Amino acid sequence: ARRLLERGMYVNAVVAPSAPRGQALLRTCVTALHEPHDLKWAASVVAETLAGFPADSLRETEEQRTA
């Protein structure tokens, strides 16, 4: 969420205990005022930001699933 905010996109990180351990998610809010280009921009920012993380840090491990 912090890295997205640095790029101008505000999202809420949802982590344990609100989300299952190892399954954190990002919560967004889309309104009728958002235009298609806004959503395309948001999707590209999320994709580019996630691409900056090591792939193994984005995968749930067996240890996380059973914790």
Side-chain angles (χ1 to χ4, degrees), residues 2-48:
R2 179 180 46 82
R3 290 186 186 185
L4 291 171
L5 184 58
E6 290 169 356
R7 299 202 49 201
M9 184 177 176
Y10 181 76
V11 298
N12 290 305
V14 181
V15 298
S18 298
R21 185 176 206 91
Q23 296 181 29
L25 53 97
L26 298 173
R27 181 174 289 143
T28 62
C29 182
V30 178
T31 72
L33 296 177
H34 288 102
E35 300 285 340
H37 70 270
D38 296 318
L39 302 180
K40 290 177 185 175
W41 172 82
S44 68
V45 168
V46 170
E48 291 167 8

